[in-house]
Amino acid sequence: MGGQACVFYGAAEFSRDMDLAVLAEAANLACLRRALDDLQAEVIAVPSFELQYLRRGHAIHFRCRHPHALRMRVDVMSKMRGVDAFPRLWKRRTTIELPDGTHCELLSLPDLVQAKKTQRDKDWPMIRRLVEAHYFQNIAKPNPAQIRFWLQDLRTPQLLVEVAQRHTRLCRRLISTRPLVAYAALGKIKQLEQALLAEESTEREVDRRYWLPLRAELEKLRHAR
Amino acid sequence: MIQPEELVGDEWAEWYRLTPVQRWLESEKLWQTYLALGGSLDPEPDTQSPFFDARAPRPRLAHGRAGVRVLRRGRI
């Protein structure tokens, strides 16, 4: 769900870790444990590799010792802020086949964008790139779901204006969920830029608050070690 | 209709025009180069991540030096 998914969808990230979203169930974790054993992956830091932590929204961090993936980090999560539960993510996933026949399951683009709405600086330009790339790939013949996705998640003022002014009815319907599209419909770029910044800032603050209890729990676990 | 070049410049526009699979393959090439140059798979510390622990020990490289080093540098 991390860097390689971003590359696939149109952003560019040279991410040296691997992020996995998994279904937090005992049988599934047993399979994952076997796969991680193949990579000679060991848990680093806290929390330990237990169902309860995944279900509470923590990430479990591993480092691989296998010579082909030496020191590679693997982060495993099951629950992400603002993102649907795993069964829905799985239904919407993108499956790709690599030249050697390996299949990779990626978060769908809208779910990846949602997962990237964090407190970190680096995630916000990434979201912009991801949605821009999708826009340019599909602008010739977009379907209603794509137009809705753009109106909900584009972060490029000029493109938002273009979509909002071309699809006024849908834009009007989305004003209640994303008020800044009203500026886009009116072509008010300055106000739109400010509203986008405010939107980002709010989302980052929400993410910080979401993590406060989880960070406190991590701190306790670190001290208990 | 706005063109990608107007917004993001030629390089990004070219990247956007690749298919997802082409982008994946291009990034694989970058990986191969990076690893061939001795690049490490250790991720950079992400100080803004909620998981970041400033006190956590960082793994040392086996040979005690960075995988990619500057051998020559200009004055500026």
Side-chain angles (χ1 to χ4, degrees), chain A residues 93-129:
Chain A
R93 74 194 186 278
T94 300
T95 304
I96 59 166
E97 189 181 68
L98 302 181
D100 67 357
T102 308
H103 283 199
C104 293
E105 313 290 356
L106 306 179
L107 278 184
S108 73
L109 176 60
D111 290 326
L112 179 64
V113 164
Q114 211 52 41
K116 289 273 169 202
K117 292 179 181 173
T118 72
Q119 57 196 281
R120 304 185 306 175
D121 292 338
K122 70 173 192 174
D123 285 326
W124 291 89
M126 191 68 72
I127 295 174
R128 179 176 168 144
R129 296 286 189 205

mmCIF file of all heavy atoms in Angstrom, chain A residues 93-129:
data_model
loop_
_atom_site.group_PDB
_atom_site.id
_atom_site.type_symbol
_atom_site.label_atom_id
_atom_site.label_comp_id
_atom_site.label_asym_id
_atom_site.label_seq_id
_atom_site.Cartn_x
_atom_site.Cartn_y
_atom_site.Cartn_z
ATOM 1 N N ARG A 93 -9.548 -3.605 -4.334
ATOM 2 C CA ARG A 93 -8.108 -3.607 -4.604
ATOM 3 C C ARG A 93 -7.805 -3.661 -6.104
ATOM 4 O O ARG A 93 -8.662 -4.049 -6.908
ATOM 5 C CB ARG A 93 -7.445 -4.800 -3.915
ATOM 6 C CG ARG A 93 -7.718 -6.127 -4.590
ATOM 7 C CD ARG A 93 -7.335 -7.279 -3.703
ATOM 8 N NE ARG A 93 -7.451 -8.565 -4.352
ATOM 9 C CZ ARG A 93 -8.570 -9.243 -4.488
ATOM 10 N NH1 ARG A 93 -9.707 -8.758 -4.040
ATOM 11 N NH2 ARG A 93 -8.572 -10.431 -5.084
ATOM 12 N N THR A 94 -6.586 -3.298 -6.445
ATOM 13 C CA THR A 94 -6.077 -3.451 -7.809
ATOM 14 C C THR A 94 -5.103 -4.618 -7.801
ATOM 15 O O THR A 94 -4.252 -4.697 -6.918
ATOM 16 C CB THR A 94 -5.293 -2.183 -8.230
ATOM 17 O OG1 THR A 94 -6.187 -1.069 -8.167
ATOM 18 C CG2 THR A 94 -4.721 -2.302 -9.619
ATOM 19 N N THR A 95 -5.252 -5.513 -8.759
ATOM 20 C CA THR A 95 -4.312 -6.636 -8.849
ATOM 21 C C THR A 95 -3.439 -6.434 -10.082
ATOM 22 O O THR A 95 -3.960 -6.192 -11.163
ATOM 23 C CB THR A 95 -5.066 -7.975 -8.973
ATOM 24 O OG1 THR A 95 -5.956 -8.085 -7.864
ATOM 25 C CG2 THR A 95 -4.114 -9.156 -8.969
ATOM 26 N N ILE A 96 -2.141 -6.520 -9.895
ATOM 27 C CA ILE A 96 -1.272 -6.415 -11.072
ATOM 28 C C ILE A 96 -0.430 -7.682 -11.196
ATOM 29 O O ILE A 96 -0.164 -8.359 -10.193
ATOM 30 C CB ILE A 96 -0.346 -5.179 -11.009
ATOM 31 C CG1 ILE A 96 0.556 -5.215 -9.773
ATOM 32 C CG2 ILE A 96 -1.127 -3.901 -11.019
ATOM 33 C CD1 ILE A 96 1.688 -4.221 -9.862
ATOM 34 N N GLU A 97 -0.061 -7.969 -12.428
ATOM 35 C CA GLU A 97 0.811 -9.121 -12.660
ATOM 36 C C GLU A 97 2.147 -8.599 -13.167
ATOM 37 O O GLU A 97 2.196 -7.851 -14.148
ATOM 38 C CB GLU A 97 0.191 -10.063 -13.686
ATOM 39 C CG GLU A 97 0.964 -11.361 -13.786
ATOM 40 C CD GLU A 97 0.395 -12.323 -14.818
ATOM 41 O OE1 GLU A 97 0.488 -11.986 -16.013
ATOM 42 O OE2 GLU A 97 -0.139 -13.361 -14.431
ATOM 43 N N LEU A 98 3.198 -8.990 -12.491
ATOM 44 C CA LEU A 98 4.540 -8.570 -12.908
ATOM 45 C C LEU A 98 5.033 -9.491 -14.021
ATOM 46 O O LEU A 98 4.471 -10.572 -14.220
ATOM 47 C CB LEU A 98 5.484 -8.616 -11.706
ATOM 48 C CG LEU A 98 5.063 -7.752 -10.511
ATOM 49 C CD1 LEU A 98 6.090 -7.852 -9.391
ATOM 50 C CD2 LEU A 98 4.905 -6.303 -10.920
ATOM 51 N N PRO A 99 6.066 -9.066 -14.753
ATOM 52 C CA PRO A 99 6.532 -9.885 -15.881
ATOM 53 C C PRO A 99 6.860 -11.333 -15.503
ATOM 54 O O PRO A 99 6.732 -12.240 -16.318
ATOM 55 C CB PRO A 99 7.786 -9.148 -16.351
ATOM 56 C CG PRO A 99 7.574 -7.744 -15.938
ATOM 57 C CD PRO A 99 6.803 -7.797 -14.662
ATOM 58 N N ASP A 100 7.273 -11.565 -14.252
ATOM 59 C CA ASP A 100 7.606 -12.948 -13.860
ATOM 60 C C ASP A 100 6.372 -13.730 -13.400
ATOM 61 O O ASP A 100 6.474 -14.852 -12.920
ATOM 62 C CB ASP A 100 8.680 -12.945 -12.757
ATOM 63 C CG ASP A 100 8.158 -12.349 -11.445
ATOM 64 O OD1 ASP A 100 6.997 -11.899 -11.406
ATOM 65 O OD2 ASP A 100 8.912 -12.354 -10.453
ATOM 66 N N GLY A 101 5.189 -13.134 -13.555
ATOM 67 C CA GLY A 101 3.957 -13.843 -13.197
ATOM 68 C C GLY A 101 3.493 -13.599 -11.768
ATOM 69 O O GLY A 101 2.409 -14.039 -11.389
ATOM 70 N N THR A 102 4.303 -12.905 -10.981
ATOM 71 C CA THR A 102 3.906 -12.627 -9.596
ATOM 72 C C THR A 102 2.719 -11.663 -9.576
ATOM 73 O O THR A 102 2.689 -10.695 -10.335
ATOM 74 C CB THR A 102 5.073 -11.931 -8.838
ATOM 75 O OG1 THR A 102 6.238 -12.712 -9.009
ATOM 76 C CG2 THR A 102 4.756 -11.756 -7.368
ATOM 77 N N HIS A 103 1.753 -11.961 -8.718
ATOM 78 C CA HIS A 103 0.618 -11.050 -8.564
ATOM 79 C C HIS A 103 0.828 -10.163 -7.347
ATOM 80 O O HIS A 103 1.263 -10.631 -6.299
ATOM 81 C CB HIS A 103 -0.680 -11.847 -8.393
ATOM 82 C CG HIS A 103 -1.183 -12.395 -9.691
ATOM 83 N ND1 HIS A 103 -2.476 -12.794 -9.873
ATOM 84 C CD2 HIS A 103 -0.554 -12.590 -10.878
ATOM 85 C CE1 HIS A 103 -2.627 -13.219 -11.124
ATOM 86 N NE2 HIS A 103 -1.472 -13.121 -11.743
ATOM 87 N N CYS A 104 0.532 -8.869 -7.489
ATOM 88 C CA CYS A 104 0.593 -7.936 -6.359
ATOM 89 C C CYS A 104 -0.785 -7.328 -6.170
ATOM 90 O O CYS A 104 -1.425 -6.919 -7.147
ATOM 91 C CB CYS A 104 1.578 -6.806 -6.627
ATOM 92 S SG CYS A 104 3.264 -7.337 -6.710
ATOM 93 N N GLU A 105 -1.208 -7.284 -4.936
ATOM 94 C CA GLU A 105 -2.501 -6.681 -4.613
ATOM 95 C C GLU A 105 -2.235 -5.299 -4.021
ATOM 96 O O GLU A 105 -1.521 -5.180 -3.027
ATOM 97 C CB GLU A 105 -3.251 -7.537 -3.574
ATOM 98 C CG GLU A 105 -3.291 -9.035 -3.872
ATOM 99 C CD GLU A 105 -4.177 -9.387 -5.062
ATOM 100 O OE1 GLU A 105 -4.823 -8.476 -5.617
ATOM 101 O OE2 GLU A 105 -4.211 -10.570 -5.440
ATOM 102 N N LEU A 106 -2.796 -4.275 -4.637
ATOM 103 C CA LEU A 106 -2.570 -2.896 -4.185
ATOM 104 C C LEU A 106 -3.877 -2.290 -3.688
ATOM 105 O O LEU A 106 -4.952 -2.625 -4.187
ATOM 106 C CB LEU A 106 -2.062 -2.029 -5.332
ATOM 107 C CG LEU A 106 -0.823 -2.490 -6.093
ATOM 108 C CD1 LEU A 106 -0.512 -1.493 -7.209
ATOM 109 C CD2 LEU A 106 0.371 -2.601 -5.163
ATOM 110 N N LEU A 107 -3.753 -1.362 -2.762
ATOM 111 C CA LEU A 107 -4.922 -0.570 -2.378
ATOM 112 C C LEU A 107 -5.457 0.119 -3.624
ATOM 113 O O LEU A 107 -4.672 0.525 -4.481
ATOM 114 C CB LEU A 107 -4.515 0.530 -1.401
ATOM 115 C CG LEU A 107 -4.352 0.230 0.089
ATOM 116 C CD1 LEU A 107 -4.045 1.525 0.826
ATOM 117 C CD2 LEU A 107 -5.598 -0.394 0.671
ATOM 118 N N SER A 108 -6.769 0.275 -3.711
ATOM 119 C CA SER A 108 -7.316 1.054 -4.824
ATOM 120 C C SER A 108 -6.810 2.487 -4.685
ATOM 121 O O SER A 108 -6.420 2.906 -3.581
ATOM 122 C CB SER A 108 -8.841 1.039 -4.780
ATOM 123 O OG SER A 108 -9.290 1.862 -3.711
ATOM 124 N N LEU A 109 -6.832 3.233 -5.773
ATOM 125 C CA LEU A 109 -6.311 4.601 -5.703
ATOM 126 C C LEU A 109 -7.070 5.460 -4.681
ATOM 127 O O LEU A 109 -6.435 6.124 -3.843
ATOM 128 C CB LEU A 109 -6.328 5.243 -7.095
ATOM 129 C CG LEU A 109 -5.895 6.703 -7.116
ATOM 130 C CD1 LEU A 109 -4.472 6.882 -6.609
ATOM 131 C CD2 LEU A 109 -6.026 7.272 -8.523
ATOM 132 N N PRO A 110 -8.414 5.470 -4.684
ATOM 133 C CA PRO A 110 -9.099 6.304 -3.669
ATOM 134 C C PRO A 110 -8.739 5.883 -2.240
ATOM 135 O O PRO A 110 -8.606 6.744 -1.366
ATOM 136 C CB PRO A 110 -10.590 6.068 -3.951
ATOM 137 C CG PRO A 110 -10.633 5.683 -5.398
ATOM 138 C CD PRO A 110 -9.386 4.894 -5.647
ATOM 139 N N ASP A 111 -8.548 4.594 -2.002
ATOM 140 C CA ASP A 111 -8.181 4.157 -0.647
ATOM 141 C C ASP A 111 -6.748 4.566 -0.304
ATOM 142 O O ASP A 111 -6.458 4.938 0.830
ATOM 143 C CB ASP A 111 -8.345 2.634 -0.515
ATOM 144 C CG ASP A 111 -9.816 2.221 -0.533
ATOM 145 O OD1 ASP A 111 -10.647 2.996 -0.021
ATOM 146 O OD2 ASP A 111 -10.127 1.154 -1.086
ATOM 147 N N LEU A 112 -5.875 4.501 -1.295
ATOM 148 C CA LEU A 112 -4.486 4.931 -1.062
ATOM 149 C C LEU A 112 -4.445 6.425 -0.728
ATOM 150 O O LEU A 112 -3.756 6.850 0.201
ATOM 151 C CB LEU A 112 -3.639 4.637 -2.309
ATOM 152 C CG LEU A 112 -2.168 5.050 -2.244
ATOM 153 C CD1 LEU A 112 -1.417 4.278 -1.156
ATOM 154 C CD2 LEU A 112 -1.482 4.838 -3.593
ATOM 155 N N VAL A 113 -5.212 7.199 -1.477
ATOM 156 C CA VAL A 113 -5.269 8.646 -1.229
ATOM 157 C C VAL A 113 -5.779 8.910 0.194
ATOM 158 O O VAL A 113 -5.235 9.734 0.924
ATOM 159 C CB VAL A 113 -6.167 9.333 -2.297
ATOM 160 C CG1 VAL A 113 -6.576 10.729 -1.864
ATOM 161 C CG2 VAL A 113 -5.432 9.387 -3.634
ATOM 162 N N GLN A 114 -6.793 8.179 0.567
ATOM 163 C CA GLN A 114 -7.348 8.343 1.915
ATOM 164 C C GLN A 114 -6.295 8.003 2.979
ATOM 165 O O GLN A 114 -6.143 8.708 3.971
ATOM 166 C CB GLN A 114 -8.570 7.415 2.037
ATOM 167 C CG GLN A 114 -9.656 7.903 2.953
ATOM 168 C CD GLN A 114 -10.119 9.325 2.671
ATOM 169 O OE1 GLN A 114 -10.266 9.725 1.534
ATOM 170 N NE2 GLN A 114 -10.294 10.104 3.727
ATOM 171 N N ALA A 115 -5.578 6.912 2.738
ATOM 172 C CA ALA A 115 -4.554 6.468 3.707
ATOM 173 C C ALA A 115 -3.404 7.471 3.814
ATOM 174 O O ALA A 115 -2.707 7.523 4.820
ATOM 175 C CB ALA A 115 -4.014 5.096 3.296
ATOM 176 N N LYS A 116 -3.216 8.267 2.757
ATOM 177 C CA LYS A 116 -2.103 9.225 2.753
ATOM 178 C C LYS A 116 -2.451 10.544 3.444
ATOM 179 O O LYS A 116 -1.608 11.426 3.545
ATOM 180 C CB LYS A 116 -1.683 9.529 1.305
ATOM 181 C CG LYS A 116 -0.973 8.375 0.629
ATOM 182 C CD LYS A 116 0.501 8.419 0.920
ATOM 183 C CE LYS A 116 1.222 7.162 0.512
ATOM 184 N NZ LYS A 116 2.478 6.963 1.214
ATOM 185 N N LYS A 117 -3.673 10.702 3.874
ATOM 186 C CA LYS A 117 -4.065 11.970 4.530
ATOM 187 C C LYS A 117 -3.602 11.959 5.983
ATOM 188 O O LYS A 117 -4.382 11.789 6.907
ATOM 189 C CB LYS A 117 -5.577 12.181 4.418
ATOM 190 C CG LYS A 117 -6.013 12.442 2.995
ATOM 191 C CD LYS A 117 -7.498 12.630 2.868
ATOM 192 C CE LYS A 117 -7.874 12.852 1.409
ATOM 193 N NZ LYS A 117 -9.326 12.871 1.195
ATOM 194 N N THR A 118 -2.314 12.123 6.146
ATOM 195 C CA THR A 118 -1.717 11.999 7.472
ATOM 196 C C THR A 118 -1.122 13.341 7.911
ATOM 197 O O THR A 118 -1.252 14.348 7.231
ATOM 198 C CB THR A 118 -0.580 10.960 7.461
ATOM 199 O OG1 THR A 118 0.533 11.529 6.759
ATOM 200 C CG2 THR A 118 -1.003 9.670 6.802
ATOM 201 N N GLN A 119 -0.420 13.289 9.029
ATOM 202 C CA GLN A 119 0.223 14.496 9.563
ATOM 203 C C GLN A 119 1.584 14.771 8.910
ATOM 204 O O GLN A 119 2.216 15.767 9.215
ATOM 205 C CB GLN A 119 0.396 14.344 11.068
ATOM 206 C CG GLN A 119 1.199 13.120 11.465
ATOM 207 C CD GLN A 119 1.041 12.764 12.933
ATOM 208 O OE1 GLN A 119 1.655 13.382 13.772
ATOM 209 N NE2 GLN A 119 0.214 11.767 13.225
ATOM 210 N N ARG A 120 2.034 13.895 8.018
ATOM 211 C CA ARG A 120 3.385 14.041 7.466
ATOM 212 C C ARG A 120 3.401 14.960 6.245
ATOM 213 O O ARG A 120 2.561 14.837 5.355
ATOM 214 C CB ARG A 120 3.943 12.672 7.073
ATOM 215 C CG ARG A 120 3.956 11.675 8.219
ATOM 216 C CD ARG A 120 4.626 10.393 7.831
ATOM 217 N NE ARG A 120 4.061 9.791 6.626
ATOM 218 C CZ ARG A 120 4.553 8.708 6.056
ATOM 219 N NH1 ARG A 120 5.624 8.109 6.568
ATOM 220 N NH2 ARG A 120 3.986 8.212 4.983
ATOM 221 N N ASP A 121 4.421 15.826 6.173
ATOM 222 C CA ASP A 121 4.561 16.747 5.034
ATOM 223 C C ASP A 121 4.574 15.995 3.709
ATOM 224 O O ASP A 121 3.957 16.404 2.743
ATOM 225 C CB ASP A 121 5.898 17.521 5.114
ATOM 226 C CG ASP A 121 5.923 18.491 6.277
ATOM 227 O OD1 ASP A 121 4.850 18.874 6.754
ATOM 228 O OD2 ASP A 121 7.033 18.865 6.707
ATOM 229 N N LYS A 122 5.324 14.898 3.683
ATOM 230 C CA LYS A 122 5.604 14.255 2.394
ATOM 231 C C LYS A 122 4.370 13.613 1.755
ATOM 232 O O LYS A 122 4.363 13.346 0.563
ATOM 233 C CB LYS A 122 6.722 13.224 2.545
ATOM 234 C CG LYS A 122 6.360 11.990 3.317
ATOM 235 C CD LYS A 122 7.512 10.993 3.232
ATOM 236 C CE LYS A 122 7.086 9.625 3.739
ATOM 237 N NZ LYS A 122 8.094 8.616 3.558
ATOM 238 N N ASP A 123 3.336 13.359 2.550
ATOM 239 C CA ASP A 123 2.170 12.684 1.981
ATOM 240 C C ASP A 123 1.288 13.604 1.130
ATOM 241 O O ASP A 123 0.589 13.141 0.236
ATOM 242 C CB ASP A 123 1.326 12.057 3.100
ATOM 243 C CG ASP A 123 1.992 10.806 3.653
ATOM 244 O OD1 ASP A 123 2.643 10.099 2.865
ATOM 245 O OD2 ASP A 123 1.876 10.545 4.858
ATOM 246 N N TRP A 124 1.345 14.907 1.399
ATOM 247 C CA TRP A 124 0.408 15.804 0.715
ATOM 248 C C TRP A 124 0.780 16.077 -0.739
ATOM 249 O O TRP A 124 -0.103 16.012 -1.614
ATOM 250 C CB TRP A 124 0.189 17.064 1.553
ATOM 251 C CG TRP A 124 -0.565 16.652 2.782
ATOM 252 C CD1 TRP A 124 -0.042 16.229 3.964
ATOM 253 C CD2 TRP A 124 -1.985 16.482 2.897
ATOM 254 N NE1 TRP A 124 -1.050 15.841 4.820
ATOM 255 C CE2 TRP A 124 -2.243 15.989 4.190
ATOM 256 C CE3 TRP A 124 -3.056 16.707 2.041
ATOM 257 C CZ2 TRP A 124 -3.540 15.718 4.647
ATOM 258 C CZ3 TRP A 124 -4.344 16.446 2.480
ATOM 259 C CH2 TRP A 124 -4.576 15.956 3.772
ATOM 260 N N PRO A 125 2.047 16.340 -1.065
ATOM 261 C CA PRO A 125 2.383 16.431 -2.497
ATOM 262 C C PRO A 125 2.124 15.109 -3.217
ATOM 263 O O PRO A 125 1.789 15.086 -4.406
ATOM 264 C CB PRO A 125 3.882 16.749 -2.497
ATOM 265 C CG PRO A 125 4.250 17.106 -1.116
ATOM 266 C CD PRO A 125 3.187 16.614 -0.199
ATOM 267 N N MET A 126 2.271 14.012 -2.470
ATOM 268 C CA MET A 126 2.026 12.691 -3.062
ATOM 269 C C MET A 126 0.555 12.556 -3.479
ATOM 270 O O MET A 126 0.250 12.092 -4.573
ATOM 271 C CB MET A 126 2.377 11.626 -2.017
ATOM 272 C CG MET A 126 2.434 10.226 -2.529
ATOM 273 S SD MET A 126 3.814 10.002 -3.629
ATOM 274 C CE MET A 126 5.163 10.060 -2.462
ATOM 275 N N ILE A 127 -0.334 12.984 -2.601
ATOM 276 C CA ILE A 127 -1.766 12.904 -2.930
ATOM 277 C C ILE A 127 -2.042 13.731 -4.189
ATOM 278 O O ILE A 127 -2.744 13.297 -5.102
ATOM 279 C CB ILE A 127 -2.630 13.430 -1.757
ATOM 280 C CG1 ILE A 127 -2.476 12.546 -0.528
ATOM 281 C CG2 ILE A 127 -4.100 13.519 -2.167
ATOM 282 C CD1 ILE A 127 -3.175 13.076 0.720
ATOM 283 N N ARG A 128 -1.456 14.911 -4.208
ATOM 284 C CA ARG A 128 -1.674 15.784 -5.373
ATOM 285 C C ARG A 128 -1.246 15.086 -6.669
ATOM 286 O O ARG A 128 -1.979 15.065 -7.650
ATOM 287 C CB ARG A 128 -0.902 17.094 -5.167
ATOM 288 C CG ARG A 128 -1.039 18.047 -6.317
ATOM 289 C CD ARG A 128 -0.344 19.366 -6.034
ATOM 290 N NE ARG A 128 -0.272 20.134 -7.266
ATOM 291 C CZ ARG A 128 -0.386 21.461 -7.333
ATOM 292 N NH1 ARG A 128 -0.573 22.150 -6.244
ATOM 293 N NH2 ARG A 128 -0.297 22.081 -8.487
ATOM 294 N N ARG A 129 -0.052 14.487 -6.638
ATOM 295 C CA ARG A 129 0.457 13.790 -7.831
ATOM 296 C C ARG A 129 -0.446 12.622 -8.224
ATOM 297 O O ARG A 129 -0.712 12.392 -9.396
ATOM 298 C CB ARG A 129 1.863 13.238 -7.570
ATOM 299 C CG ARG A 129 2.932 14.277 -7.315
ATOM 300 C CD ARG A 129 3.315 14.990 -8.563
ATOM 301 N NE ARG A 129 4.480 15.842 -8.369
ATOM 302 C CZ ARG A 129 4.744 16.908 -9.100
ATOM 303 N NH1 ARG A 129 3.929 17.255 -10.076
ATOM 304 N NH2 ARG A 129 5.826 17.624 -8.888
#
